[in-house]
């Protein structure tokens, strides 16, 4: 690289009529010859950089260890001052007053008064101590001399030599002289070594406290990524949060803000601490600065959760270990424990783990459910996990509609009595009619005698937003979608929400990307359990969970789409939520489709054989005898009223008006007529199959003729 060098030359021969002047001459050094290889010039640059790095490291080393000693002296001096004065108590009083805790301030003031009284007594004792010490020394010396003389007398009598009387005194004088000589020898080196040892002690204190600026620290120390959470780090993060009253209050506190913090507790893959904010600082001022607080704590935003506990003017911080939330949790107990069963009334779904690492069990007893989130965040897997657990209770009946139709619910064929899968308007119509049938079943149960117990009927609708957005209208001009009083799916959902839980008819819905159009307000507020995966905005979070949960710290909109799959925020009284909080963040167990099929087979083994009714084209001509054989399924015989009910579910247009006489008329003359068994009318599977085979055989014979 060309270097320009500026030379100043004084003109030695100025004109006679002018003063001497200084001229500026710019001399440009010649460029390096082109023959110098590029790698040689690059090597010189690397050498200079290496020298600069070594110099910087040496300067940092010198400054760091020098400041260890200086700041160590300051720390020791402060400790000594605190020990001799009431400064510590005064700081605690100011901290309690800043926090608005007057009772604590009064307690510290009493402690300060007791300290001052004790200090006054010690000082008064010092006024009399010289005289007492002199008296003690005189008495002690006299007694010692007397004892030595007595010992000498005893020695003289024993040795018959009067000179032995002073032998103990002489030995004592010699010993004292020896001590004086030792002190004289050691005193010189001690005067030299003593200050060095004192400086070493101060250096050790400063090094232990890392009492040096961050710029002087080694690279591995200066990098604070993932450093442990300590009280000083939390207080500093709060101080630098940008809340002026909070910063001023911390500055006024004598303990530098430590009194704001409760104990830092290990909680799962992180730590948890309660922070009592000083007077004049609102909790939402901290909540809305979550990202800045996380960065002050050397964490990412998703690794810090802010909730509101029961105590007033308090925020609870949960701070994850750096990178811990990116690690998967263990497999579901549904996969690992083949003996696991379910109980709708008393059991809890092993859904996942909360942030503290504790198992998160959800009770679904008489609770409508809503799960929402952005697309491809694990909504179907989370909803399906609940249904798989409940399927292990053989008394539960499922009616299912999957308006995505990707086969995510195929394993419930043989478990659910109705299974509708597909995204078209025809599938929406079938799902709507299924929901309306659930309303009719609910009304039938409500009109039963008081005290009648009913098995659970769960109506599951996945991708429910498709139903709400369906534009099709029926023959009566009523729309299937929408949210008006004439919208069929909307009204069916509302009716189930209003009264279904009383007779164990529940509606579970999964929807994505909620808006007022695809998830009406009355429907989302009718769910007792509301859970949300990652969402895009706070307004969507309020739709999904409600204002109370979001105001209390729930923030599914801050979950990371794609990275926090399966992590949801839940608001429900069916899950244990820490007292004072309104929601809980749960990392759900992922159950793959293959594992779901295995669990479904276990559920089928607990049941007597369920015939799953699928979507049938509307208006199609029906083969009644074949349909009767289909709805009987694998059971040996089925009651006639159950056959009629299943036929109505199979094709409401063809069989919804059938009575016992219609069924009897259809089977009459086939050899499969209903008959009485154990006092009830039933239809035999084998007889219907035989009649169907005979009819098909006769048809084949007629065709051959």
């Amino acid at each position: 690289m060309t270097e320009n060098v500026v030379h100043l030359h004084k003109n030695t021969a100025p004109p006679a009529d002018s003063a001497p002047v200084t001229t500026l001459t710019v001399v440009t050094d010649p460029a390096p010859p082109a023959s110098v290889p590029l790698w040689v010039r690059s090597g010189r640059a690397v050498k200079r950089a290496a020298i600069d790095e070594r110099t910087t490291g040496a300067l940092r080393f010198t400054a760091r260890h020098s400041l260890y000693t200086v700041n160590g002296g300051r720390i020791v001096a402060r400790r000594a001052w605190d020990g001799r004065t009431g400064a510590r108590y005064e700081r605690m009083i100011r901290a309690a007053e800043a926090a608005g805790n007057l009772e604590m301030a009064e307690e510290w003031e009493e402690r300060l008064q007791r300290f001052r009284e004790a200090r006054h007594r010690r000082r008064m004792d010092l006024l009399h101590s010289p005289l007492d010490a002199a008296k003690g020394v005189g008495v002690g010396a006299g007694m010692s001399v007397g004892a030595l003389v007595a010992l000498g007398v005893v020695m003289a009598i024993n040795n018959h030599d009067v000179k032995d009387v002073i032998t103990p005194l002489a030995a004592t004088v010699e010993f004292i002289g020896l001590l004086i000589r030792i002190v004289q020898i050691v005193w010189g080196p001690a005067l030299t070594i003593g200050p060095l040892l004192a400086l070493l002690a101060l250096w050790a204190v400063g090094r232990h406290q890392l009492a040096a600026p961050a710029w002087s620290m080694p690279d591995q120390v200066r990098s604070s990524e993932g450093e442990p959470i300590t009280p000083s780090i939390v207080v500093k993060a709060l101080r630098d949060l940008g809340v002026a009253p909070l910063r001023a209050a911390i500055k006024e506190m004598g303990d530098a803000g430590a009194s704001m913090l409760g104990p830092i507790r290990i909680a799962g893959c992180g730590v948890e601490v309660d922070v009592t904010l000083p007077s004049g600082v609102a909790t939402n001022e901290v909540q809305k600065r979550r990202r800045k607080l996380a960065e002050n704590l050397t964490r990412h935003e998703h690794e810090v959760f802010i909730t509101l506990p029961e105590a007033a003017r308090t925020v609870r911080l949960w701070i994850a270990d750096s990178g811990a939330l990116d690690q998967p949790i263990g497999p579901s107990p549904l996969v690992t424990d083949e003996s696991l069963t379910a109980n709708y009334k008393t059991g809890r779904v092993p859904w996942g783990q909360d942030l503290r690492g504790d198992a998160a069990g959800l009770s679904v007893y008489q609770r409508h459910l809503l799960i929402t989130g952005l697309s491809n965040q694990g909504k179907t897997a989370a909803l399906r996990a609940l249904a798989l657990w409940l399927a292990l209770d053989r008394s539960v009946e499922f009616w299912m509609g999957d308006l995505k139709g990707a086969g995510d619910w195929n394993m419930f064929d043989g478990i659910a009595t109705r299974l509708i899968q597909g995204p078209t308007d025809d599938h929406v119509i079938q799902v709507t009619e299924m929901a309306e049938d659930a309303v009719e079943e609910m009304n039938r149960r409500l009109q039963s005698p008081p005290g009648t117990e009913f098995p659970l009927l769960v109506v599951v609708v996945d991708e429910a937003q498709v139903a709400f957005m369906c534009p099709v209208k029926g023959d009566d001009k009523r729309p299937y979608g929408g949210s008006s009083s004439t919208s069929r799916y909307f009204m069916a959902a509302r009716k189930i929400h209003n009264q279904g839980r009383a007779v164990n008819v529940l509606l579970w819905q999964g929807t994505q990307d909620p808006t007022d159009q695809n998830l009406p307000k009355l429907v989302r507020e009718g769910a007792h359990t509301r859970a949300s995966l990652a969402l895009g905005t706070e307004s969507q979070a309020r739709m999904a969970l409600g204002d109370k949960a979001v105001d209390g710290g729930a923030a599914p909109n801050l979950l990371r789409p794609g990275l926090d799959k399966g992590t949801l925020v839940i608001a429900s009284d069916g899950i244990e939520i820490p007292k004072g909080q309104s929601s809980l963040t749960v990392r759900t167990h992922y159950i793959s489709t293959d594992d779901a099929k295995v669990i479904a087979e276990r559920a089928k083994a607990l049941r007597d054989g369920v015939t799953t009714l699928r979507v049938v084209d509307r208006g199609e001509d029906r083969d009644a005898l074949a349909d009767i054989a289909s709805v009987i399924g694998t059971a040996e015989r089925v009651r006639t009223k159950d056959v009629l009910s299943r036929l109505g579910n199979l094709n409401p247009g063809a069989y919804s008006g059938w009575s016992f006489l219609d069924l009897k008329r259809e089977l009459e003359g086939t050899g499969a007529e209903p008959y009485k068994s154990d006092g009830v009318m039933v239809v035999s599977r084998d007889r219907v199959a035989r009649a169907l085979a005979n009819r098909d055989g006769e048809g084949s014979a007629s065709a051959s003729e």
Side-chain angles (χ1 to χ4, degrees):
M1 183 175 181
T2 303
E3 297 181 355
N4 294 331
V5 182
V6 178
H7 301 276
L8 292 176
H9 299 277
K10 179 175 284 189
N11 194 337
T12 57
D17 57 349
S18 63
V21 297
T22 301
T23 59
L24 179 67
T25 305
V26 178
V27 181
T28 302
D29 290 346
S35 60
V36 177
L38 179 61
W39 64 269
V40 173
R41 285 175 278 171
S42 301
R44 292 171 180 168
V46 171
K47 181 179 180 181
R48 286 196 298 269
I51 294 174
D52 291 342
E53 183 177 352
R54 289 196 298 269
T55 303
T56 303
L59 291 175
R60 284 212 313 258
F61 177 87
T62 304
R64 179 170 66 252
H65 289 280
S66 300
L67 290 171
Y68 279 164
T69 306
V70 174
N71 292 329
R74 294 175 56 191
I75 293 171
V76 171
R78 179 159 186 161
R79 290 175 181 174
W81 177 258
D82 288 345
R84 300 289 297 176
T85 68
R88 178 185 291 110
Y89 300 92
E90 293 173 356
R91 286 200 304 271
M92 299 306 295
I93 291 172
R94 290 197 299 270
E97 290 175 346
N101 193 341
L102 298 182
E103 293 182 359
M104 184 61 69
E106 291 177 358
E107 181 180 346
W108 280 108
E109 190 172 1
E110 292 177 1
R111 294 184 181 182
L112 174 58
Q113 187 62 31
R114 291 196 297 268
F115 169 79
R116 286 173 174 170
E117 291 175 356
R119 184 179 62 183
H120 177 71
R121 288 195 300 268
R122 290 195 302 270
R123 288 177 176 176
M124 295 303 294
D125 292 339
L126 288 176
L127 296 177
H128 305 284
S129 59
L131 183 59
D132 295 338
K135 291 179 180 179
V137 170
V139 173
M143 293 180 62
S144 299
V145 172
L148 292 174
V149 171
L151 179 60
V153 171
V154 173
M155 292 177 61
I157 295 172
N158 183 62
N159 297 331
H160 305 286
D161 189 354
V162 71
K163 291 186 297 184
D164 287 342
V165 172
I166 63 172
T167 299
L169 287 174
T172 303
V173 171
E174 290 180 3
F175 177 72
I176 293 173
L178 176 63
L179 292 179
I180 293 173
R181 287 193 296 273
I182 293 174
V183 169
Q184 289 175 342
I185 295 172
V186 174
W187 184 253
L191 290 177
T192 303
I193 298 174
L196 297 178
L197 294 177
L199 290 175
L200 181 61
L202 297 178
W203 174 86
V205 172
R207 183 176 182 276
H208 179 72
Q209 298 291 332
L210 295 178
W215 59 265
S216 66
M217 294 294 180
D219 293 337
Q220 61 269 25
V221 177
R222 285 186 296 155
S223 176
S224 56
E225 183 71 22
E227 63 181 354
I229 298 299
T230 62
S232 60
I233 289 176
V234 176
V235 171
K236 185 175 183 299
L238 294 169
R239 185 196 67 193
D240 299 337
L241 203 54
V243 182
L246 179 59
R247 184 180 184 89
I250 292 175
K251 186 177 180 180
E252 289 296 324
M253 294 180 184
D255 61 349
S259 60
M260 296 193 307
L261 307 185
I264 296 180
R265 305 175 295 271
I266 296 177
C269 57
V271 296
E272 185 178 74
V273 59
D274 288 350
V275 181
T276 302
L277 299 176
S279 179
V281 181
T283 54
N284 65 339
E285 293 185 84
V286 177
Q287 284 182 298
K288 65 186 181 183
R289 291 172 171 82
R290 175 181 170 183
R291 172 175 293 182
K292 190 170 185 178
L293 177 62
E295 292 174 350
N296 290 348
L297 292 167
T298 66
R299 295 294 190 273
H300 297 290
E301 184 178 12
H302 71 276
E303 294 176 329
V304 174
F305 289 82
I306 307 173
T307 55
L308 302 182
E310 187 177 22
R313 213 173 67 241
T314 302
V315 293
R316 177 168 293 162
L317 307 181
W318 186 86
I319 307 161
D321 297 336
S322 185
L325 294 184
D326 296 329
Q327 303 299 321
I329 64 174
S332 170
L334 291 172
V335 176
T336 59
D337 186 0
E338 296 184 357
S339 63
L340 186 67
T341 57
N343 188 302
Y344 162 62
K345 290 186 177 180
T346 62
R348 290 182 177 268
V349 186
W351 211 9
Q353 295 178 358
D354 62 18
L355 296 178
R356 297 166 182 81
D358 299 328
L362 176 68
S363 171
V364 298
Y365 180 63
Q366 293 189 342
R367 291 179 176 89
H368 301 300
L369 176 72
L370 172 66
I371 299 180
T372 187
L374 297 178
S375 177
N376 195 32
Q377 299 304 310
K379 169 181 53 64
T380 297
L383 182 59
R384 187 175 66 186
L386 298 178
L388 286 169
W389 176 83
L390 196 55
L392 297 176
D393 184 340
R394 58 181 299 175
S395 66
V396 178
E397 182 180 2
F398 290 96
W399 292 2
M400 293 184 166
D402 174 18
L403 293 178
K404 179 166 57 177
D408 293 329
W409 297 86
N410 276 341
M411 68 287 302
F412 282 88
D413 188 356
I415 298 177
T417 50
R418 298 193 190 187
L419 180 59
I420 303 168
Q421 298 186 96
T424 67
D425 290 341
D426 285 338
H427 294 98
V428 172
I429 293 172
Q430 291 287 341
V431 168
T432 302
E433 292 175 346
M434 177 182 73
E436 292 174 338
D437 290 344
V439 173
E440 292 183 7
E441 172 64 16
M442 176 190 72
N443 292 333
R444 182 189 69 80
R445 294 184 178 190
L446 288 170
Q447 296 169 11
S448 299
T452 305
E453 294 187 3
F454 303 99
L456 174 63
L457 170 61
V458 182
V459 181
V460 180
V461 181
D462 195 12
E463 306 295 343
Q465 77 278 357
V466 178
F468 286 113
M469 299 299 290
C470 179
V472 176
K473 294 184 178 180
D475 296 335
D476 56 358
K477 305 302 181 182
R478 293 178 59 197
Y480 285 92
S483 57
S484 67
S485 59
T486 59
S487 300
R488 294 179 60 177
Y489 180 80
F490 169 76
M491 290 305 298
R494 289 290 300 128
K495 291 176 181 178
I496 296 174
H497 279 168
N498 287 340
Q499 296 176 304
R501 62 180 296 272
V503 288
N504 284 334
V505 177
L506 300 182
L507 177 61
W508 290 3
Q509 297 181 98
T511 182
Q512 68 179 22
D513 203 8
T515 65
D516 284 328
Q517 290 71 38
N518 65 25
L519 187 59
K521 176 180 176 65
L522 293 178
V523 170
R524 61 182 185 249
E525 291 186 351
H528 303 96
T529 296
R530 301 167 71 173
S532 175
L533 295 109
L535 288 174
T537 64
E538 182 180 324
S539 62
Q540 287 184 317
R542 293 184 180 276
M543 292 181 192
L545 300 177
D547 291 337
K548 180 180 178 181
V550 174
D551 291 339
N557 53 300
L558 297 181
L559 295 173
R560 301 167 299 167
L563 297 177
D564 290 326
K565 278 188 177 182
T567 299
L568 51 80
V569 183
I570 181 171
S572 171
D573 61 351
I575 196 168
E576 293 184 5
I577 297 177
K579 196 171 183 179
Q581 293 183 205
S582 57
S583 64
L584 186 70
T585 302
V586 175
R587 305 173 69 197
T588 59
H589 296 292
Y590 174 68
I591 301 177
S592 67
T593 300
D594 292 338
D595 290 333
K597 291 178 181 178
V598 175
I599 299 170
E601 290 301 321
R602 298 207 314 259
K604 294 174 186 177
L606 298 175
R607 299 166 184 258
D608 294 332
V610 175
T611 300
T612 298
L613 306 180
R614 292 178 171 269
V615 175
V616 181
D617 293 336
R618 298 157 53 96
E620 180 185 358
D621 293 335
R622 307 301 305 169
D623 183 344
L625 188 60
D627 285 344
I628 292 171
S630 173
V631 299
I632 291 176
T634 59
E636 183 178 351
R637 54 183 177 271
V638 179
R639 293 190 299 178
T640 53
K641 71 172 187 177
D642 291 337
V643 173
L644 291 171
S645 175
R646 294 179 182 182
L647 287 173
N649 294 335
L650 178 64
N651 194 316
Y655 301 116
S656 60
W658 269 37
S659 65
F660 173 73
L661 293 178
D662 296 315
L663 178 62
K664 181 179 179 182
R665 188 183 304 112
E666 181 65 33
L667 295 177
E668 191 172 8
T670 63
E673 295 83 354
Y675 64 97
K676 185 171 288 189
S677 174
D678 296 330
V680 296
M681 297 300 293
V682 299
V683 178
S684 170
R685 177 196 61 194
D686 295 337
R687 293 183 183 183
V688 173
R690 191 180 305 116
L692 191 61
N694 292 338
R695 188 195 67 177
D696 293 342
E698 292 174 0
S700 300
S702 300
S704 63
E705 292 176 359

